[in-house]
Amino acid sequence: MIWNTLTYTGWGRVRSATAQVARPERTSSLAALQAETAAPAIGMCRSYGDSCLNDGGHAVDMTRMDRLLGFDPDTGILEVEAGARIGDIARRFAPDGWLPSVMPGTGFATVGGCIAHDVHGKNHHGAGSFGQHVVEISLMNGGKLQKVSPSKGVKLFRATIGGMGQTGVIVSAKLQLLPCKGDIMTVTERRIENLEHFLEALDASKSTYTVGWIDATAQGEALGRGILEEAETGYGLVPDAKPSRAVPFNAPRWALATPVVRFFNAAYFRRVPERGRTSVKPITEFFFPLDKLLEWNRLYGKRGFHQFQCVVPVSEAAVLRLMLDKIGSAGLASPLAVLKRMGSGRAGLMSFPMEGYTLAIDFPNRAGAEALIAELEEITEKAGGRVYMAKDATLDPSHLTKMYPDVTKFAKLVSSIDPDGQYETDQTRRLNIRSHA
Ligand SMILES: Cc1cc2nc3c(=O)[nH]c(=O)nc-3n(C[C@H](O)[C@H](O)[C@H](O)COP(=O)(O)OP(=O)(O)OC[C@H]3O[C@@H](n4cnc5c(N)ncnc54)[C@H](O)[C@@H]3O)c2cc1C
């Protein structure tokens, strides 16, 4: 197997790594490779920060191992290689009445990446996290293949889900798909006037899928205003999804200057009529709205961007106002800000979700951005919440134990199966995770 020297980044393009990267196509070549040089796996590098980076080391790109291995139409259980993309699975199975039970906001994420961050979707309040629908994982550690599940090798299973690749390479998995009506979505959008109304509307919603867009530049009475989308799967005919386009160059700095963002956000808010509206869309347009614009991360310019994502308990929702206040007055907000209600579902020791509200927001990588994120992280910790590893590139290691109380258990298990730290990444080194063992 050939190792190629590659310089690559996470989706935010702030951190980069130069590593020896191999792209095996079969389990046999992966096994030979791992027996010789155990190294962390990477998928489509849709994590924003340094979770998929291994600067100066090795990484195994799993995207060629993307085969569908078997599907049982009676149970809805799909066996699939870890490099398969979640959007391709949705497109293939929705017309037959099945969807991945949980889908993140990009269809480019691989099954391995979805397990390794125990991702959540717009139905987290009802369906829980990705890992709760994983029936079995084939895991390779140092060339040795083993199967783990909720009933066999439970400790390793729970450390692998949300485990950031630290237990070895996920080769394939059996996933429980979710019945759906078909491959279209009926989506209702309505304006929400401020944060309090937003939280009430999210709590009151009976829809299977919900997501809120927030105008992070709005202040005062309008702080936290935005648009709530509620959706259900359906069937029928809709126009095909529009073809994807690519962002041809890195956008100039003025494109995300505060007055431009404020103007854009006001127009985006008013795009939905006051009385609201209902439309029908192809599933991919609802679940993966940004995927239409390939390489949209270039809109943040050469220096890239950070995404801050936290979840705070329901009882501490008031801190969201404090956060939005700080964000609005820092003049760093971008149009991309999302608010969702989370249920309690999580499947791994290091899983992100908790019952509460999750806020995700992009910041261009400008002076002051990392200091602002550090303040938001501090507020999150004090509120008993946590920051999402899939988005993180900056978290101070001192927050880890409070945010992730199972980190010691996790670190002990991982250190026992990988004593030389061969599966470590830039993120786990930065966060000093193994030191908790
Ligand atoms: C536009 C956009 C929207 C998003 N929306 C959401 C959302 O709504 N909800 C959500 O939860 N997340 C969301 N994400 C984050 C994304 O779902 C996760 O970061 C996911 O892990 C990306 O998958 P990937 O294949 O690109 O993994 P990578 O980014 O390549 O890797 C992420 C981690 O997974 C590990 N890994 C990858 N493959 C394997 C494998 N085969 N075996 C073992 N470990 C592996 C890597 O070591 C790394 O630690 C979004 C990302 C983008 C860009």
Side-chain angles (χ1 to χ4, degrees), residues 53-99:
L53 304 182
N54 192 19
D55 194 31
H58 291 74
V60 182
D61 175 341
M62 292 294 288
T63 54
R64 281 164 102 177
M65 293 186 58
D66 61 352
R67 299 170 197 88
L68 304 183
L69 302 173
F71 178 64
D72 181 344
D74 294 327
T75 59
I77 292 179
L78 170 70
E79 186 169 11
V80 65
E81 285 184 337
R85 300 172 188 187
I86 215 70
D88 291 340
I89 298 175
R91 273 183 287 270
R92 162 65 187 80
F93 287 96
D96 297 335
W98 296 98
L99 271 181

Side-chain angles (χ1 to χ4, degrees), residues 11 40-48 51-52 62 82 103-106 108-110 112-114 116-121 164-165 168-171 290-291 296 340 388 390-391 425:
W11 189 244
I42 56 174
M44 288 291 287
C45 297
R46 258 32 186 207
S47 46
Y48 284 65
S51 145
C52 59
M62 292 294 288
M103 293 190 279
T106 173
F108 289 113
T110 64
C114 288
H117 278 304
D118 195 13
V119 301
H120 55 274
M164 301 162 283
V169 177
I170 299 160
V171 181
L290 293 165
D291 288 358
W296 62 261
K340 285 193 266 208
Y388 191 13
K391 312 293 176 73
T425 60

Side-chain angles (χ1 to χ4, degrees), residues 220-293:
E221 299 271 283
L223 183 130
R225 75 171 178 179
I227 293 166
L228 176 65
E229 290 188 28
E230 297 173 287
E232 302 295 338
T233 57
Y235 54 89
L237 286 178
V238 282
D240 286 342
K242 296 186 190 95
S244 311
R245 291 175 180 214
V247 174
F249 49 77
N250 290 311
R253 195 183 154 93
W254 59 260
L256 283 169
T258 309
V260 180
V261 175
R262 197 168 283 135
F263 178 79
F264 175 89
N265 281 6
Y268 193 79
F269 180 70
R270 292 204 183 85
R271 160 190 81 92
V272 172
E274 252 175 285
R275 62 180 185 286
R277 68 178 180 195
T278 298
S279 55
V280 179
K281 302 180 177 182
I283 42 164
T284 47
E285 280 190 17
F286 172 73
F287 286 109
F288 318 127
L290 293 165
D291 288 358
K292 280 186 293 197
L293 202 55

Side-chain angles (χ1 to χ4, degrees), residues 19-37:
Q20 300 299 310
V21 180
R23 293 185 74 205
E25 207 177 329
R26 312 230 158 247
T27 309
S28 51
S29 40
L30 174 67
L33 193 100
Q34 288 282 305
E36 177 200 301
T37 312

Side-chain angles (χ1 to χ4, degrees), residues 70-247:
F71 178 64
D72 181 344
D74 294 327
T75 59
I77 292 179
L78 170 70
E79 186 169 11
V80 65
E81 285 184 337
R85 300 172 188 187
I86 215 70
D88 291 340
I89 298 175
R91 273 183 287 270
R92 162 65 187 80
F93 287 96
D96 297 335
W98 296 98
L99 271 181
S101 298
V102 170
M103 293 190 279
T106 173
F108 289 113
T110 64
V111 167
C114 288
I115 295 174
H117 278 304
D118 195 13
V119 301
H120 55 274
K122 297 175 174 72
N123 58 350
H124 186 270
H125 53 287
S129 67
F130 193 89
Q132 291 180 278
H133 307 273
V134 175
V135 177
E136 187 180 86
I137 295 172
S138 293
L139 185 69
M140 191 176 280
N141 186 303
K144 198 180 113 212
L145 194 63
Q146 59 185 314
K147 291 186 192 300
V148 292
S149 71
S151 55
K152 191 174 156 217
V154 191
K155 281 190 187 157
L156 190 51
F157 183 74
R158 291 200 66 219
T160 299
I161 294 178
M164 301 162 283
Q166 295 304 290
T167 59
V169 177
I170 299 160
V171 181
S172 61
K174 286 186 184 167
L175 310 177
Q176 175 66 64
L177 302 190
L178 187 76
C180 68
K181 289 187 191 146
D183 60 355
I184 65 164
M185 300 299 292
T186 306
V187 185
T188 299
E189 293 166 285
R190 59 190 155 108
R191 291 188 195 174
I192 306 283
E193 295 305 329
N194 58 38
L195 182 64
E196 282 64 41
H197 288 177
F198 228 132
L199 301 180
E200 279 165 26
L202 284 168
D203 286 348
S205 178
K206 298 273 181 283
S207 298
T208 310
Y209 298 98
T210 56
V211 61
W213 168 81
I214 286 218
D215 174 359
T217 61
Q219 296 274 275
E221 299 271 283
L223 183 130
R225 75 171 178 179
I227 293 166
L228 176 65
E229 290 188 28
E230 297 173 287
E232 302 295 338
T233 57
Y235 54 89
L237 286 178
V238 282
D240 286 342
K242 296 186 190 95
S244 311
R245 291 175 180 214
V247 174

